C-alpha cells in the first residue's frame, strides 16, 4: 500500500536508535523527507547515512537535546515546514518514588510530556493551514498498564495522553491527526536497561530476565523497530485521516483486556 506521503517532511525526534530510528526509516522508505534528532552527533550521522542508503530519501541530522528549548529550536529550523511530527525522547530511569525529588519529576515531565506539547504547539497550526498533518507520540504500554518501577514514565506519559485526547478532536476536521503509539517490550537499548533493573531486583541475569519476559508474552518474543516503524508510517499516511486521539498498543498481546 502506498502511504501517500512522498515529498512530505517528517521530524522524527530521538531517532538515532531504537523505535525513533524505526519510524524514521519507515517514513523515509515511503518517500518522506526526514529530519532526525539525537544528542550524540556520531551515532546520529551514522543513522542518517544508513537511512539515506536504504531509502534514497533526503535525511537531515540535527544533533541536540530535544528536551531543551535550544534542541527543539534547532530541530524545527532544519525544515521550512513540518507535515509529520513523531515525538520521542529517552524514557525516565526506573526506581522507587521515595527517591525522586521535585527536580527528578520536572525532568521526566519535560522530556515525556512538555517537550511533545511544545513541538505540537510549534507545528500544528501550520499543518491546519495546509490541511494535512500527522502527529504520532511514542509513549508506552505503561500508560495502559502501569509498570511499578517506571512511575516517572507512568505519570508523565499519562499527562501527555490526557492532553492529546482533547486536542486531537479539535484538529481532525482540518486533516490533522494526533495519535499515540504505546510500545510494550521492543528489542532496543532501552529494553536492555529495563531488563537490567529487573535482573538486579530479582537476583537473576539479564538473559534470564529477558527469557522470562519473552515467555510471559503471548507472542513469545519482543517486538522489532521495523514493526513499530511500519505502524507509525500507517498512522502518518493519507489513509489514516479518520484515526485521531487513539492509543495504539503494540505489545504482542501482553495486555490482557478486551479493550
Ligand atoms: P533507545 O534507548 O533504544 O533509543 C532512544 C533514542 O532517543 C536514541 O536515539 C537516543 O539518542 C535518543 N534520545 C534520548 N534522549 C534524547 C534527548 N533528550 N534528545 C534527543 N534524543 C534523545 O530507546 P527506545 O527503546 O527506542 O525507546 C523510545 C521511547 O519509547 C522511550 O521513551 C522509551 O522509554 C519508550 N519505550 C520503549 C520500550 C521498549 O521496549 N523499547 C517500551 C516502552 C516505552
Amino acid at each position: 500500500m502506498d502511504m501517500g506521503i512522498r515529498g512530505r517532511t517528517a521530524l522524527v525526534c530521538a531517532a538515532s536508535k531504537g523505535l525513533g530510528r524505526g519510524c524514521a526509516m519507515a517514513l523515509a522508505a515511503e518517500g518522506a523527507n526526514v529530519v532526525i534528532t539525537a544528542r550524540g552527533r556520531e551515532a546520529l550521522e551514522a543513522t542518517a547515512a544508513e537511512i539515506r542508503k536504504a531509502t534514497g530519501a533526503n535525511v537531515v541530522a540535527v544533533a541536540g537535546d530535544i528536551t531543551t528549548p535550544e534542541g527543539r529550536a534547532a530541530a524545527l529550523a532544519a525544515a521550512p515546514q513540518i507535515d509529520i511530527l513523531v515525538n520521542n525522547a529517552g524514557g525516565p530511569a526506573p526506581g522507587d518514588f521515595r527517591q525522586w525529588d521535585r527536580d527528578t519529576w520536572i525532568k521526566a515531565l519535560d522530556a515525556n510530556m512538555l517537550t511533545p506539547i511544545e513541538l505540537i504547539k510549534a507545528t500544528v497550526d501550520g499543518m491546519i493551514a495546509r490541511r494535512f498533518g500527522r502527529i504520532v507520540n511514542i509513549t508506552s504500554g505503561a500508560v495502559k498498564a502501569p509498570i511499578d518501577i517506571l512511575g516517572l514514565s507512568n505519570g508523565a506519559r499519562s499527562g501527555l495522553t490526557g492532553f492529546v485526547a482533547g486536542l486531537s478532536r479539535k484538529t481532525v476536521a482540518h486533516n490533522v491527526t494526533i495519535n499515540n503509539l504505546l510500545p510494550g517490550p521492543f528489542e532496543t537499548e532501552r529494553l536492555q536497561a529495563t531488563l537490567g533493573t529487573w535482573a538486579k531486583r530479582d537476583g537473576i541475569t539479564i538473559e534470564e530476565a529477558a527469557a522470562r519476559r519473552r515467555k510471559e508474552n503471548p507472542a513469545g518474543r519482543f517486538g522489532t523497530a521495523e514493526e513499530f516503524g511500519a505502524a507509525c508510517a500507517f498512522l502518518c499516511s493519507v489513509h489514516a485521516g479518520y484515526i485521531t486521539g487513539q492509543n495504539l498498543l503494540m505489545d504482542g498481546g501482553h495486555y490482557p483486556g478486551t479493550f
Side-chain angles (χ1 to χ4, degrees):
M1 186 193 282
D2 179 354
M3 298 296 158
I5 52 173
R6 187 162 295 282
R8 297 283 185 190
T9 298
L11 167 58
V12 186
C13 305
S16 67
K17 296 177 189 161
L19 305 179
R21 183 185 184 282
C23 294
M25 186 68 89
L27 293 168
E30 289 300 320
N33 307 311
V34 177
V35 178
I36 57 172
T37 85
R39 284 165 304 186
R41 186 176 296 280
E42 210 176 311
L44 183 66
E45 291 290 357
T47 296
E50 284 164 17
I51 298 174
R52 278 185 210 111
K53 194 170 169 210
T55 66
N58 294 322
V59 184
V60 176
V62 183
D65 184 338
I66 201 69
T67 68
T68 65
E70 304 75 37
R72 290 190 289 276
L76 291 166
Q81 69 180 51
I82 306 290
D83 306 306
I84 294 168
L85 168 66
V86 180
N87 276 314
N88 186 30
D96 182 332
F97 86 98
R98 292 168 188 82
Q99 318 298 326
W100 300 332
D101 57 15
R102 182 178 165 76
D103 280 354
T104 310
W105 272 106
I106 296 296
K107 241 185 163 167
L109 291 171
D110 260 342
N112 299 114
M113 178 182 174
L114 300 177
T115 288
I117 292 173
E118 286 286 342
L119 288 170
I120 292 171
K121 187 172 146 194
T123 54
V124 77
D125 289 334
M127 293 176 181
I128 287 172
R130 296 188 298 274
R131 293 198 62 81
F132 178 88
R134 297 286 184 264
I135 300 174
V136 172
N137 304 303
I138 300 180
T139 63
S140 172
V143 171
K144 210 163 155 120
I147 300 170
D148 56 356
I149 57 171
L150 294 177
L152 291 166
S153 172
N154 300 339
R157 297 186 199 277
S158 295
L160 174 65
T161 304
F163 169 77
V164 161
L167 182 64
S168 58
R169 270 84 186 179
K170 292 282 178 203
T171 61
V172 65
H174 308 280
N175 192 23
V176 177
T177 66
I178 315 179
N179 292 289
N180 305 312
L181 268 179
L182 283 57
F186 276 78
E187 199 97 53
T188 67
E189 279 186 20
R190 163 79 178 176
L191 181 68
Q192 286 303 313
T194 309
L195 288 172
T197 307
W198 267 311
K200 211 166 143 194
R201 185 191 64 184
D202 298 342
I204 55 177
T205 65
I206 292 190
E207 291 69 33
E208 284 165 337
R212 267 189 205 175
R213 284 219 77 190
R214 283 198 193 91
K215 205 170 158 206
E216 72 190 23
N217 190 298
R221 65 177 179 88
F222 298 134
T224 69
E226 289 73 26
E227 291 171 309
F228 195 85
C232 177
F234 178 73
L235 286 178
C236 295
S237 76
V238 292
H239 311 294
Y242 204 56
I243 303 174
T244 201
Q246 299 306 300
N247 292 285
L248 176 61
L249 181 62
M250 295 183 71
D251 70 347
H254 189 245
Y255 178 78
T258 306
F259 302 106

